[in-house]
Amino acid sequence: MNRILLASAFLLVSISAVFADETPSAQPASAVVGPVPAAVSPVPAAVSPAPKAPALKLVEPHLHITRSNIAGHARIALTFDACMGQADERILSTLVRERIPATIFVTARWLKRNPAALAVFLQNPDLFELENHGQNHIPAVDRPTLIYGIASAGSPQAVRQEVEGGAAAMVAAGIPAPHWFRGSTAKYDLSAIGEIRAMGYRIAGYSVNGDGGSLLGAVITEKRIASARDGDVVISHINQPTHAAGEGVAKALVDLKTKGTQFVRLEDVEDTGDDKTTQ
């Protein structure tokens, strides 16, 4: 009888030990003393976040020219971007007919598609100053980003290629070597400005956005350009013949001439640009 009781007691103790091994301990982890058992994974140390790259600061420089300071004869500089597409004959014919001088920023891509318009520019050297708008119309920003949905050059080497490629295409087309550069979107980062200036270029900002990238209507475009004041630099586009803005540009040119405006090219006058674009 005693042997039976002892055997029963031994069996109960063994079953209790098995359940104790399979059931997680209710003891808090902080109460564990001594080395951590090999079966328990230690908590990994906190990883410091990687330092963030400096935020990309883009600027859209302003440019002004020396004022005439003559009442009723404001001096302004008309600048036109020829990005891609075709020449806008509404604007070009008005400039030639009214003998209004202007500075035209051309890309290599535009030059290839518009030999007839280029011939008009070259036949009127007293009216047109041709300057560099780049090789492929890529924003002159030396870090990767998107500007109005357009991918930037993304590196100093790519900025240089955009500038030099545009200049090379101009010289190959019979245009004198350019001295001014205006990048696609007219936005830059400060380091790219320094790189372009080191290449010997002045960077053309503006003070009046005439046509909103050629996306504005004819009436608002005409009002914007016609409101230019003494010393202003106006930016518009001469490569969107199907856009309504071109009609407004052409009308504004006549409006300004009627008011006695003195039109000049950038090469004709002294200027002041911010963000170290001309200094």
Side-chain angles (χ1 to χ4, degrees):
M1 184 64 177
N2 289 337
R3 290 179 179 179
I4 294 173
L5 291 174
L6 288 172
S8 299
F10 179 80
L11 181 60
L12 289 173
V13 170
S14 299
I15 292 172
S16 299
V18 171
F19 276 100
D21 289 342
E22 294 180 352
T23 305
S25 171
Q27 187 179 27
S30 59
V32 177
V33 179
V36 178
V40 179
S41 300
V43 178
V47 179
S48 299
K52 292 184 178 180
L56 179 59
K57 178 183 178 181
L58 297 180
V59 296
E60 192 166 356
H62 295 93
L63 180 68
H64 288 86
I65 58 172
T66 304
R67 298 176 180 176
S68 72
N69 291 319
I70 302 174
H73 295 280
R75 176 187 294 156
I76 70 169
L78 297 172
T79 68
F80 292 94
D81 288 358
C83 313
M84 295 168 284
Q86 302 296 325
D88 191 333
E89 290 295 335
R90 296 169 298 180
I91 300 172
L92 181 54
S93 62
T94 301
L95 291 170
V96 174
R97 182 183 67 251
E98 300 293 335
R99 308 309 293 171
I100 296 175
T103 303
I104 316 294
F105 287 86
V106 297
T107 67
R109 296 173 66 177
W110 188 88
L111 288 174
K112 290 179 181 179
R113 299 187 61 179
N114 295 275
L118 174 59
V120 173
F121 290 147
L122 295 178
Q123 290 164 6
N124 292 274
D126 59 322
L127 293 183
F128 300 116
E129 170 191 0
L130 300 181
E131 297 292 351
N132 189 358
H133 197 33
Q135 182 176 18
N136 291 308
H137 200 245
I138 296 172
V141 174
D142 61 14
R143 287 171 53 186
T145 190
L146 288 176
I147 306 174
Y148 305 132
I150 305 174
S152 66
S155 70
Q157 296 78 12
V159 169
R160 176 174 288 275
Q161 178 58 46
E162 175 70 1
V163 177
E164 291 183 342
M170 294 177 68
V171 172
I175 302 169
H179 302 288
W180 286 87
F181 176 80
R182 175 182 284 157
S184 167
T185 73
K187 291 182 181 289
Y188 315 83
D189 57 339
L190 297 178
S191 55
I193 286 176
E195 293 154 12
I196 297 167
R197 292 286 289 127
M199 295 170 66
Y201 286 89
R202 301 169 79 79
I203 297 174
Y206 61 90
S207 58
V208 175
N209 187 338
D211 62 1
S214 191
L215 298 177
L216 297 177
V219 174
I220 184 71
T221 296
E222 180 183 3
K223 288 181 178 180
R224 280 194 178 194
I225 297 176
S227 69
R229 298 180 178 181
D230 197 12
D232 272 335
V233 175
V234 180
I235 181 176
S236 298
H237 292 75
I238 196 168
N239 66 302
Q240 296 289 356
T242 64
H243 290 193
E247 178 185 347
V249 172
K251 289 182 178 179
L253 300 180
V254 177
D255 294 343
L256 288 170
K257 184 178 179 180
T258 301
K259 292 193 314 185
T261 300
Q262 176 188 355
F263 300 100
V264 295
R265 301 169 300 182
L266 293 182
E267 66 181 355
D268 297 329
V269 289
E270 294 185 357
D271 53 76
T272 304
D274 56 15
D275 296 309
K276 299 183 178 180
T277 50
T278 61
Q279 290 77 17

